[in-house]
Amino acid sequence: MGRLIYRDKASFDIDDRLLAHLRIVIMNKLRRNEGFMLQVPVNEGVRQASLWVHASNALVLQFYGGREPAIDRELVDQMMHDASGPDGLTLSGSGIAAAPSAPARPVR
């Protein structure tokens, strides 16, 4: 289990494998000078916290596992796509949350 520390004010426990993928997304988005919204799960009776990830905000990613996780390129691509969307990237306890589907339009 790793940890994401946001602006020295809040910390979030995230699975090392997911955190390794998030690290790649953050590096690529900030390299392009693109900020994005990140929703992370919170344990203390709060469903999730929304963080604005931008170069001006200090982030620390701590990994506690003994070995580096294998990177799944498809997962990174999906996370990049979601991070660029209007709702940002949402992490769940088990990975990334499915992006909400567009409401079905009635057939006329």
Side-chain angles (χ1 to χ4, degrees):
M1 187 65 68
R3 180 165 289 161
L4 167 69
I5 301 170
Y6 183 77
R7 300 179 70 178
D8 292 332
K9 297 180 190 217
S11 66
F12 305 92
D13 292 332
I14 300 173
D15 176 75
D16 273 347
R17 180 180 180 275
L18 186 58
L19 191 60
H21 288 77
L22 179 60
R23 179 179 173 270
I24 293 169
V25 171
I26 291 170
M27 285 189 317
N28 282 294
K29 295 293 280 180
L30 297 184
R31 186 177 293 139
R32 298 174 187 162
N33 201 28
E34 297 174 357
F36 67 99
M37 185 64 68
L38 173 64
Q39 283 75 237
V40 293
V42 178
N43 296 332
E44 301 163 5
V46 178
R47 184 173 55 96
Q48 67 183 21
S50 296
L51 311 174
W52 179 247
V53 178
H54 189 270
S56 64
N57 295 333
L59 292 173
V60 176
L61 284 76
Q62 297 175 333
F63 296 88
Y64 294 107
R67 57 188 169 118
E68 190 155 335
I71 300 298
D72 178 347
R73 188 70 201 157
E74 288 182 21
L75 179 57
V76 171
D77 290 344
Q78 181 63 49
M79 292 173 75
M80 285 293 294
H81 177 267
D82 291 353
S84 297
D87 295 324
L89 175 58
T90 300
L91 302 182
S92 70
S94 60
I96 63 171
S101 59
R105 297 187 348 191
V107 178
R108 296 183 189 230

